Each structure stands twice: as C-alpha cells, then as structure tokens.
Amino acid sequence: MENKKVKSILFVCLGNICRSPMAETIMAKVLEDAGLSSEIKIDSAGIIDYHEGEKADSRMRQHAADHGYDILHRSRPVKEEDFYEFDLIIGMDQSNMRELEYKRPSDATARLAMAAQYVTPPQPVPDPYYGGDAGFEFVITLLEEACRNILEMEIQ
C-alpha cells in the first residue's frame, strides 16, 4: 500500500524560537525550489508557551540570514487542533516527542515523527539555545538535510 503524501507539516521544538522556526523557514525554501509552495502547508510551534508571540532567537535569525534565510515566524505553542490540522508533526528531539505523544488526542489524525529519521546518521536536532555559534550552524546543517529528505520521502 502506498503511503499517503503529506500535505501539511508542523515542526515542533521546546520554545519555538530556534529549531522549529528554522525548520519551517528551510522547508518553505525547499518547497519553493520544488515549485510546491502553494500545495503544502507548513508551520512551527513550541511545546511551551513561554515565548508566545516573540520572534525567533536573535542568534538563530542572524545565522539564518548568513545562510540566506529570513525567519518571519512568531512563537506559538502546540494546540490540540494541530493534531487534526496537520498530516505530519515533526519533533526535534526525544523530549519533544514525549511531550507530543502526551499531548496528542487519542483520535488525532496527525502522524508523529522525529527529525532524526530524516538525517544520516539519524540523530536528534540539538537545542542550540545555551551554546555558541557552532551549535546554531550545526542545527541549520541538520535541518537543511532533513528538509530535503522530507520533500523526497514524504511529499514527492
């Protein structure tokens, strides 16, 4: 049986100010380059609402800009409706996945996946918040690979 092609993706990290808005931004570019921007809905959210309404972390925005990306997203928490509105919800690490599984309603239609399954070797996308420049650069590198593979594995 052929897998249903994904038409909507939600990226999730802890606060929705570093990893998931970067993933959303990279995925938007990957979809644009593939001519699929109007066909696939993408968004990002956080497990916690501490940063709700805020722009992405200034360091993440700077590193993104250095790579030609402009993060426009404002932080928001995961909502119950997300588990019905999105085909695929991708958590950045094991902690995010545990929280998503806990929050997921029993009749939810969204499939959960960890970003690690879209990179080689499989590895979680680490939170760069408390680290230095190298951590932000590593996250961008991982997410670029993950998003290219999501396009290939889940959409096309």
Side-chain angles (χ1 to χ4, degrees):
M1 183 170 101
E2 185 178 331
N3 282 346
K4 177 184 167 199
K5 295 298 178 184
V6 169
K7 294 291 183 190
S8 56
I9 302 169
L10 178 68
F11 294 98
V12 177
C13 67
L14 180 61
N16 192 215
I17 59 166
C18 289
R19 296 170 291 173
S20 58
M22 187 72 244
E24 175 189 356
T25 301
I26 292 170
M27 194 75 229
K29 176 73 170 115
V30 167
L31 292 171
E32 179 184 322
D33 291 349
L36 297 170
S37 294
S38 63
E39 296 177 38
I40 311 296
K41 174 184 174 180
I42 54 170
D43 197 0
S44 64
I47 296 296
I48 60 172
D49 64 1
Y50 183 78
H51 299 285
E52 188 169 3
E54 294 178 15
K55 290 181 179 181
D57 181 277
S58 60
R59 297 164 298 168
M60 188 82 259
R61 286 184 285 136
Q62 182 58 59
H63 285 276
D66 292 347
H67 289 265
Y69 300 109
D70 186 15
I71 302 175
L72 302 174
H73 181 83
R74 294 218 174 232
S75 178
R76 73 168 183 87
V78 173
K79 304 174 296 210
E80 184 175 336
E81 307 87 76
D82 292 331
F83 293 95
Y84 302 96
E85 290 179 20
F86 291 91
D87 295 328
L88 180 61
I89 299 176
I90 298 176
M92 296 293 128
D93 61 31
Q94 284 292 354
S95 176
N96 301 153
M97 294 305 295
R98 279 191 301 276
E99 288 296 321
L100 286 167
E101 288 165 7
Y102 175 76
K103 291 175 180 284
R104 185 178 193 264
S106 60
D107 64 342
T109 54
R111 179 167 50 96
L112 300 181
M114 193 163 117
Q117 74 186 61
Y118 301 103
V119 295
T120 304
Q123 59 190 295
V125 178
D127 191 343
Y129 189 81
Y130 293 106
D133 290 340
F136 288 93
E137 290 295 318
F138 183 63
V139 164
I140 291 171
T141 300
L142 278 180
L143 291 174
E144 285 177 331
E145 179 185 355
C147 288
R148 287 190 304 269
N149 289 332
I150 290 166
L151 175 67
E152 183 180 312
M153 298 166 69
E154 303 286 0
I155 297 170
Q156 291 186 327

